[in-house]
Amino acid sequence: MVEQGQASLAGQRLGAPVTLGISTLDPRHKAAAMPPGRLMPVRVLLLDDSEETFDISHRSSGRVLFERVCSHLNLIEGDYFGLEFQNDNSRTVWLDLLKPIRKQIIRPKHTVLRFVVKFFPPDHSLLLEELTRYFFALQVRQDLASGRLTCSDSSAALLVAHIIQSEIGDFEETQCRQHLLNTNYIPDQMALMDKIMEFHHKHVGQTPAESDYRLLEVAGKLEMYGIRLHPAKDREGTRLSLTVAHSGIFVFQGHTRINYFDWSKVRKLSFKRRRFLVKLRADPSQNVNQDTLEFSMASRDCCKMFWKICVEYHAFFRLFEEPRPKTKPVLFSRGSSFRFSGRTQKQVIDYVKENEFKKLPFDRKHSRVQFNSSLSSLPCALHQQVPNQAGKQSWEGSFLVSSEDSAVLRACGNSSPSTQHNGCSDQTYPVQEGSRSPAAKHQPVDRAEVTCALVTLVNGHAEDCRGVTPSPLISPVLNDSTAIRTDDEEDNRRKICPDDNAYFIAKELLSTERTYLKDLELITMWFQRVLEKEECVPDSLKTLLSSTYEPLHTHHTHFLQELEERLSLWEDRSTVQDKGDIQRIGDLLLKTIKDLKSLSSELQMNSECVYELERACAASWRLEYVCREFELQKVCYIPLNMFLLSPLHRSLHYRLILERLCKHYVPTHIDYNDCKAALADLCELEAELHSSLVVMENYQKLQELQKDLIGVQNLAVAGRQLVRLGCLSKLSGKGLQQRMFFLFNDVLLYSTRGITSTNQFTVHRQLPLRGMTIRESEDEWGVPHSFTLMVQQQSLVVAACSVSEMEKWMEDLKIAVDMAEESNGLTSVLLMSNKDASKCSVVSEVESEDDLGGSQTSLPRHGNNSASSLHRGNTTAHVCWHRSTSVSMLDFNIAMENRLSGNLLRKFKNSNGWQKLWVVFTNFTLFFYKTHQDEYPLASLPLLGYTVTDAGESENIHKDHVFKLHFKSHVYYFRTESEYFFERWMTVIRSATVSARRTRYLNRTELD
């Protein structure tokens, strides 16, 4: 905000990331050393009302003391906090971290400094550590008690209810009433006691960490949250108050905000004696020409103190890195040399997400609830669910944790529960005890499972706090000591396996068939069981689903049994049968393909089932709610429509397997003719289904995006095609801002992820593609990988994260523009009116009793809002948002062909043992099970943004067939049983980690 003497590049002024000197996040950056000298005691009052004394040198700067306090508290995100004290004029001022303490505090021995929150972020989910959120909750508790945080009675009662839930646990009327009589949280608490107890009764089961999160969620929506008022007067002498926040400077009259100056509109902040000056940028649209606003404060010291905190707030929330110190003039000094010292918010977030920290316990001073709190939170939240501390149930048994899991558990905790961060963070989804396989229920309870006790991990939602979405970026935390094989045992097991590639192809067919049959069971058993209980479901829909999928389920059940018998005989070396009769699968495939041709009418009805279900949901809000609720269950690990289309995708997998068999066999092989005949029959069947499959894949993605987006209507219409979706940075007066872009064949939408319980994307604008021109503009703006979109005399400058991403966007944009020019035009108005959009949005101010209670009810409300609160938080759009990448419709098509299942051995970077897991790859994600018999996955790992490589000798892994998955500081090793499966897993994972360009994909298909 303060004008600098040196000139800056255009890209720097507009917010392009640049490197300013040595980053404070450099691993070589050391903490401030204590200078020599006599020690003096300094007392610090912490947020839990405890007082600590620190002995420091009398020559020490404020940073030495501040870092000692953070180290004492084991606080990683200490940059949000500060030390304040009362000076000789009885004014509360912040301790300057760059100046010596003895120059700021006249009598340190008789001064008590207070450790408090200094910077209040716009979204509490950006606080990645549970301990940090705990301290923020204590700050809210203090502000409520002092009357600084003013709000309505309903909001105050809800805040207190969350506080006492954290302190005394679940509601018990006598205990709750007695506690409120003994402890005063807000002024005039007695009048609100009944309402507080009513809210407290609704929070049964919340852990202290969850209560902290809910408390900050409610407090963050209040107008006075984080507000520190500084008295002032305007030019007419009217008494006002000034305050600074993350987004700019606010003007209050009493406790009512009357004006606001966004940082993007402020050109310069300065002060002259008692006058505080705000110089605004010229605004031609409002005929404002560099206006200067003047406020008078009580004294020069008050004016300078407020100017300093404004400079610090601007630097912390708006800059990429800590600003460089100004060079001191040789002769004369003009103006203040004060600057912000410390990490910016972006640096703090990156630092926590990219590093793994040891888990350390901490105590909640005011809490009577027995929980083993730690410095890591459960994942959201990058987005997300509420952090859990040890589970809500009482757990028995010993905890078995391998050496590598402690680091991963730490990494999984660095996430917030409700929005994801702008960046990439791999989090671990927690596991419910009930989710373990029946065979494992009597085994010692795993620490990873206990830590993540009550969270539904695959669909992105917690069971007990439905509607709160965790981050979709999750990594497997499965530590079952009984599942770890010794290397000798694994090597001996491999020696008895046949070495013919036909065997491994047959084994791939068996593994994927098991997964496919589980997917059919989700429709025929799980989903139909739910529909049978609902009166709102039309009988025609039930009949259609039953008549379509049950014959397919019966057919594939028999086929799987035959496959298992054949593979069992193939592996059995003691059999006396002719090997030529049993070491083949072409005959089984030929038989099943012929049976499938007789079921072609059922296969063609798959698309009708999807359409009929969508029409029924549109006609019944209750059915829509039921379907969305079912999608949040653990068994429904991918969108429901993808399960409905799985029979069509399965024919693609059969074709690829048959093509590999025909390529492997010589024409004289006994199995060759059967495989060729089966392939010919399958190609005939696929030709009948191909057009329907292409249309349905596009329709399914449009329906998924319709649920992801707020503010659009009629997205899934005939003729509209998805081309690409992904994350780009939009260049504006505020700098580079992360936005989510959705490219169709007629329009381009861009949005941002709202701070809501569902983390849906709010669409800001739509750009028609007709007449659009695209050009590179890196040299024009000084922003790397940027390009400009021009349409209807308007321009939009966006930047990609890499050159390859920019090229893919520009290529697809040009193709989409050509498609728009050739088409006869689709519905161009997708954005809802503000009134309609507000109805669909789940963002609401928590200031009324109805709003406060609305999120607690388990019954849906009437109207369209009932189902919108149930939303998957791990869709492809959310993963792209967190990983700053993009995918095209071609990538989706390739991913559908490259589904794979099977056993893998997994190890972490610093571990010794290998853990056997059943792994399913689909929808750009690895889903992890203990065995193939489990009903639902224990964890998942989205692969967008990851790189996969062969783990060579440099990795110090002396095993064959090992590949490495790597993303930032997250590294996983996976080991396959043969060279064939090593190549197959590498191929399918590369299809998710390397986005296909249209030209490259077309060239590949032409060669095939």
Side-chain angles (χ1 to χ4, degrees), residues 784-796:
H785 323 310
S786 62
F787 55 97
T788 302
L789 308 178
M790 293 286 297
V791 61
Q792 296 179 354
Q793 298 181 347
Q794 295 180 350
S795 63
L796 179 68

Side-chain angles (χ1 to χ4, degrees), residues 502 505 586 589 654-669 671-680:
I505 296 174
L589 280 170
Y654 287 151
R655 176 175 57 81
L656 295 174
I657 287 175
L658 283 168
E659 287 175 349
R660 284 195 293 272
L661 282 172
C662 292
K663 186 177 181 180
H664 170 71
Y665 287 139
V666 295
T668 58
H669 193 279
D671 208 24
Y672 180 78
N673 291 332
D674 286 341
C675 290
K676 289 292 289 186
L679 180 59

Side-chain angles (χ1 to χ4, degrees), residues 219-407:
K221 297 178 181 179
L222 302 176
E223 190 171 54
M224 296 301 294
Y225 174 68
I227 295 300
R228 303 295 182 258
L229 299 177
H230 298 258
K233 294 180 181 180
D234 61 10
R235 290 181 177 178
E236 287 75 28
T238 305
R239 293 183 180 274
L240 304 171
S241 295
L242 299 180
T243 188
V244 62
H246 68 278
S247 57
I249 298 174
F250 295 84
V251 182
F252 280 79
Q253 191 166 27
H255 288 89
T256 303
R257 190 178 72 183
I258 61 175
N259 207 346
Y260 161 61
F261 308 110
D262 190 272
W263 291 128
S264 62
K265 298 179 181 179
V266 178
R267 183 172 59 88
K268 183 178 180 181
L269 295 177
S270 61
F271 68 95
K272 187 175 183 180
R273 297 186 179 88
R274 300 194 318 172
R275 292 181 297 154
F276 182 77
L277 305 176
V278 181
K279 297 182 179 180
L280 301 179
R281 298 183 186 275
D283 190 352
S285 62
Q286 299 182 7
N287 296 324
V288 177
N289 296 316
Q290 296 188 356
D291 192 12
T292 300
L293 302 178
E294 181 180 315
F295 299 91
S296 176
M297 308 192 81
S299 64
R300 179 186 181 277
D301 291 341
C302 292
C303 199
K304 184 176 182 179
M305 181 178 65
F306 181 63
W307 174 80
K308 283 184 175 182
I309 189 63
C310 289
V311 172
E312 290 180 317
Y313 254 83
H314 176 268
F316 183 77
F317 288 109
R318 298 278 290 180
L319 299 186
F320 287 102
E321 292 187 357
E322 178 183 1
R324 283 183 273 185
K326 291 183 178 180
T327 56
K328 294 185 178 180
V330 179
L331 297 176
F332 301 102
S333 174
R334 181 180 180 183
S336 174
S337 62
F338 175 79
R339 68 179 179 90
F340 171 73
S341 172
R343 294 181 294 203
T344 65
Q345 184 188 35
K346 182 181 184 302
Q347 288 180 304
V348 174
I349 294 174
D350 292 343
Y351 175 67
V352 176
K353 290 194 295 186
E354 295 178 6
N355 293 273
E356 298 177 355
F357 301 97
K358 183 178 179 182
K359 289 170 63 70
L360 297 174
F362 70 91
D363 295 326
R364 295 172 176 268
K365 179 178 179 182
H366 302 288
S367 179
R368 304 177 191 174
V369 187
Q370 298 299 319
F371 280 90
N372 183 21
S373 298
S374 64
L375 288 188
S376 68
S377 66
L378 288 187
C380 354
L382 300 218
H383 115 30
Q384 297 190 17
Q385 84 227 6
V386 178
N388 207 339
Q389 289 178 328
K392 301 176 185 178
Q393 306 172 0
S394 59
W395 295 89
E396 299 177 356
S398 59
F399 297 154
L400 303 179
V401 185
S402 62
S403 58
E404 73 272 18
D405 283 336
S406 61

Side-chain angles (χ1 to χ4, degrees), residues 606-877:
N606 286 172
S607 57
E608 182 59 31
C609 290
V610 175
Y611 287 133
E612 183 64 25
L613 181 60
E614 292 297 335
R615 285 193 292 264
C617 289
S620 171
W621 64 267
R622 175 62 189 174
L623 179 58
E624 182 185 7
Y625 181 88
V626 170
C627 291
R628 290 209 182 185
E629 187 179 40
F630 180 78
E631 279 195 319
L632 303 185
Q633 303 305 311
K634 292 173 287 186
V635 293
C636 192
Y637 58 95
I638 55 179
L640 179 59
N641 282 345
M642 293 186 67
F643 286 103
L644 295 175
L645 297 177
S646 58
L648 299 179
H649 294 140
R650 188 58 178 161
S651 63
L652 299 176
H653 308 149
Y654 287 151
R655 176 175 57 81
L656 295 174
I657 287 175
L658 283 168
E659 287 175 349
R660 284 195 293 272
L661 282 172
C662 292
K663 186 177 181 180
H664 170 71
Y665 287 139
V666 295
T668 58
H669 193 279
I670 188 175
D671 208 24
Y672 180 78
N673 291 332
D674 286 341
C675 290
K676 289 292 289 186
L679 180 59
D681 289 343
L682 184 61
C683 288
E684 292 180 8
L685 178 62
E686 191 176 342
E688 299 177 10
L689 304 175
H690 178 72
S691 59
S692 174
L693 178 59
V694 172
V695 173
M696 292 311 301
E697 284 182 341
N698 181 73
Y699 180 76
Q700 186 271 325
K701 298 311 298 183
L702 293 179
Q703 287 291 346
E704 182 179 326
L705 292 179
Q706 183 73 69
K707 298 174 184 178
D708 278 336
L709 299 178
I710 295 176
V712 295
Q713 56 188 353
N714 302 324
L715 190 62
V717 297
R720 177 167 290 121
Q721 299 176 28
L722 173 66
V723 180
R724 179 174 290 275
L725 64 89
C727 189
L728 293 171
S729 296
K730 173 178 169 289
L731 193 59
S732 67
K734 301 179 182 180
L736 287 173
Q737 297 176 314
Q738 186 180 12
R739 294 290 183 264
M740 194 69 188
F741 283 75
F742 302 89
L743 176 62
F744 304 95
N745 62 337
D746 64 324
V747 69
L748 175 66
L749 304 177
Y750 70 83
S751 63
T752 186
R753 200 178 68 165
I755 306 175
T756 69
S757 60
T758 59
N759 293 331
Q760 291 169 283
F761 294 92
T762 303
V763 177
H764 292 299
R765 188 180 175 190
Q766 71 174 43
L767 298 175
L769 295 185
R770 287 195 174 188
M772 178 180 287
T773 59
I774 305 103
R775 71 170 189 274
E776 291 189 38
S777 53
E778 181 174 343
D779 296 336
E780 179 181 354
W781 296 100
V783 179
H785 323 310
S786 62
F787 55 97
T788 302
L789 308 178
M790 293 286 297
V791 61
Q792 296 179 354
Q793 298 181 347
Q794 295 180 350
S795 63
L796 179 68
V797 182
V798 294
C801 62
S802 64
V803 175
S804 61
E805 276 291 307
M806 180 187 70
E807 291 176 349
K808 286 182 287 190
W809 271 106
M810 292 185 67
E811 179 183 4
D812 282 348
L813 276 166
K814 292 175 181 177
I815 293 175
V817 170
D818 293 340
M819 295 170 65
E821 296 290 348
E822 296 173 0
S823 66
N824 54 5
L826 295 171
T827 304
S828 59
V829 180
L830 291 178
L831 299 185
M832 297 180 182
S833 63
N834 293 334
K835 183 178 180 180
D836 294 335
S838 63
K839 293 180 180 179
C840 295
S841 176
V842 295
V843 183
S844 59
E845 289 293 330
V846 185
E847 285 292 345
S848 67
E849 186 173 355
D850 293 338
D851 291 338
L852 297 172
S855 60
Q856 304 297 331
T857 179
S858 60
L859 297 176
R861 296 180 180 178
H862 294 275
N864 294 331
N865 288 0
S866 58
S868 62
S869 61
L870 302 179
H871 178 69
R872 298 178 62 90
N874 63 340
T875 61
T876 306

